[in-house]
Amino acid sequence: MLPQVDQHWHNFGCDMCGVFPIVGPKYRSSIKDNYDLCKRCKEGEERGRSNVWPAGKIQKFSDLLRK
């Protein structure tokens, strides 16, 4: 069995913390164009560290592709 390798989003950086490229899950805003978050910042949003987005307005990019 091969080890799991994190996805590298070579052309995407996190618009909250500035990490570039995003490694692992990438989250995209459903209400603001061209706004992406890394997993760490998304989890901070969920814990209420920031009130930038209403609940549910940032979605995992891979989930958006399935729609």
Side-chain angles (χ1 to χ4, degrees):
M1 183 173 183
L2 295 174
Q4 184 175 350
V5 178
D6 284 332
Q7 172 72 44
H8 284 70
W9 299 92
H10 296 285
N11 295 321
F12 296 93
C14 178
D15 289 304
M16 185 171 284
C17 71
V19 70
F20 188 89
I22 292 176
V23 177
K26 178 175 81 75
Y27 297 86
R28 171 169 283 175
S29 171
S30 63
I31 61 173
K32 184 175 180 181
D33 289 337
N34 196 28
Y35 191 87
D36 302 299
L37 295 179
C38 65
K39 181 179 178 181
R40 181 174 174 218
C41 290
K42 168 62 173 145
E43 289 173 351
E45 287 285 311
E46 289 173 350
R47 288 192 295 272
R49 290 187 182 164
S50 172
N51 60 1
V52 174
W53 301 108
K57 295 301 180 186
I58 298 284
Q59 300 172 335
K60 192 171 183 180
F61 186 72
S62 58
D63 292 343
L64 294 173
L65 295 177
R66 290 186 210 137
K67 291 182 178 181

